[in-house]
Amino acid sequence: MTARRPLAPRHLFLKHFISNASIALPVIGFSLFAGVLGYHTFGKLGWIDSILNASMILTGMGPVDHLETESGKLFASAYALFSGIAFLSSVGVLMAPVVHRFLHRFHLEMEDEMEDEAPAPRSRAKRREE
């Protein structure tokens, strides 16, 4: 039997989740801010349209407005590449404690089932007798 550690208490799980959120959410916020600023500056869009386009690109939905300027199109291309990596990485960091807890719990349940089905281990003395 392998040594197993019990599932971490809920308060420790929440601490890990908040810690990861304190990394992921600022990255998403900075990415959105950079996109809004870029669309407004290079794409010559208004603030609301810049927020809409930046958030749509950041989440992988695609652009909303057609850009007329070459600098806006170049920015949109670079921002799309950047935001794809930034958003998916941030979601991975944010969800890591949740997935870890789920897999740990699933592993503990599977181990319990295997112990219920397995025959009782023989003692060393009984093995020597055989």
Side-chain angles (χ1 to χ4, degrees), residues 25-119:
L25 296 178
V27 170
I28 292 172
F30 171 77
S31 300
L32 183 62
F33 175 75
V36 170
L37 199 59
Y39 274 111
H40 184 72
T41 303
F42 299 113
K44 306 295 183 210
L45 296 177
W47 289 109
I48 300 298
D49 290 333
S50 296
I51 292 170
L52 176 62
N53 274 287
S55 60
M56 293 295 279
I57 290 289
L58 185 61
T59 58
M61 299 299 239
V64 176
D65 293 315
H66 180 73
L67 298 173
E68 300 295 328
T69 64
E70 287 184 15
S71 61
K73 292 176 184 179
L74 290 173
F75 168 77
S77 176
Y79 182 67
L81 292 172
F82 163 77
S83 64
I85 294 168
F87 185 73
L88 290 176
S89 299
S90 296
V91 169
V93 168
L94 185 63
M95 295 305 295
V98 175
V99 173
H100 180 261
R101 187 170 180 88
F102 170 78
L103 291 176
H104 190 81
R105 176 174 284 171
F106 180 72
H107 178 75
L108 291 176
E109 289 174 5
M110 290 295 293
E111 201 170 85
D112 287 342
E113 286 178 14
M114 290 175 62
E115 286 177 1
D116 291 343
E117 294 173 4

